[in-house]
Amino acid sequence: MSLGTHEFEFQLDNVFFKNIDGTEFQKGNIKVLLTVIKTAASHEFLFKFDGIIQVPCDRCLDEMDLPITTQGRLFVKFGKEFSEESDEIVIIPEEEGEINIAWFMYEFIALAIPIKHVHAPGKCNKTMTSKLRRHITHTLDEEYDSDEVDSSELDSDIESEEPEEVQTDPRWDELKKLIDNN
């Protein structure tokens, strides 16, 4: 590669994500624009990612599309042996003279995933949210703020259905009375 700026374009699809064998996600369709700036001493890789990955919804566990738009930068320098000096600087052996950037691309995308990923209200799996609603207690609504478990969101996900009558062990009922008195 000659000195100067070089541009490349990649399309990362399900095959790429399955082959990379990452734990965060394994499906998606991401367009990558890569600009490589080569100088005498190093290579600077500038990544731009735009597309969609599929992750499980935190609430209903069904797959959901998550839009990803992010950027990343990586400096590659030559040295005696491979090492990662920091999150952005990698040293590769001069004899090899090449680097596989697949894992770096996966990591840049994984870092762009928000901590919380849930379907839009009304889009979660109705069966799962119904079961979740049946098992949620009133104390959860009091302990967590509305960002964690919003019962109105759950209600919008559930079609109207009659609650099942649940029989409980009388010993548990007595224990619950002790909790309610505190």
Side-chain angles (χ1 to χ4, degrees):
M1 183 180 295
S2 62
L3 295 177
T5 302
H6 306 274
E7 292 189 355
F8 303 93
E9 189 173 312
F10 303 100
Q11 193 69 36
L12 309 181
D13 58 8
N14 292 346
V15 174
F16 171 83
F17 294 118
K18 280 192 193 254
N19 288 336
I20 204 78
D21 201 28
T23 58
E24 298 290 323
F25 57 95
Q26 292 189 343
K27 293 180 182 177
N29 190 7
I30 304 277
K31 180 180 178 180
V32 182
L33 296 175
L34 171 61
T35 303
V36 179
I37 303 168
K38 182 178 180 183
T39 63
S42 69
H43 293 77
E44 181 179 3
F45 291 73
L46 301 170
F47 298 91
K48 289 184 182 180
F49 302 92
D50 189 32
I52 292 177
I53 60 168
Q54 290 184 342
V55 294
C57 173
D58 290 339
R59 185 173 294 135
C60 71
L61 303 179
D62 279 358
E63 292 276 321
M64 62 175 278
D65 289 342
L66 185 66
I68 296 291
T69 301
T70 190
Q71 297 180 11
R73 182 169 63 174
L74 183 67
F75 290 98
V76 179
K77 297 181 179 183
F78 293 108
K80 293 186 180 197
E81 59 185 40
F82 181 86
S83 70
E84 290 188 36
E85 297 293 309
S86 71
D87 291 340
E88 290 186 343
I89 301 173
V90 176
I91 308 291
I92 60 170
E94 275 188 73
E95 307 85 50
E96 289 183 25
E98 62 183 48
I99 185 169
N100 184 344
I101 59 170
W103 183 253
F104 293 103
M105 290 192 295
Y106 179 86
E107 283 185 336
F108 285 128
I109 296 167
L111 289 171
I113 299 173
I115 292 173
K116 181 179 177 183
H117 29 84
V118 294
H119 284 106
K123 300 292 183 184
C124 275
N125 180 309
K126 306 285 186 218
T127 305
M128 185 62 86
T129 54
S130 174
K131 289 179 181 180
L132 178 61
R133 185 72 182 134
R134 273 189 240 130
H135 295 305
I136 200 167
T137 64
H138 67 281
T139 56
L140 278 178
D141 290 332
E142 295 167 5
E143 289 178 19
Y144 295 102
D145 63 11
S146 62
D147 194 36
E148 292 293 324
V149 178
D150 186 355
S151 60
S152 65
E153 282 185 34
L154 290 175
D155 289 339
S156 70
D157 286 339
I158 301 171
E159 294 177 17
S160 62
E161 65 178 54
E162 296 297 318
E164 294 178 8
E165 190 172 313
V166 179
Q167 292 187 6
T168 60
D169 186 333
R171 294 173 290 183
W172 288 112
D173 293 336
E174 291 302 315
L175 288 172
K176 285 180 187 177
K177 287 180 187 175
L178 290 173
I179 292 173
D180 291 339
N181 289 333
N182 289 335

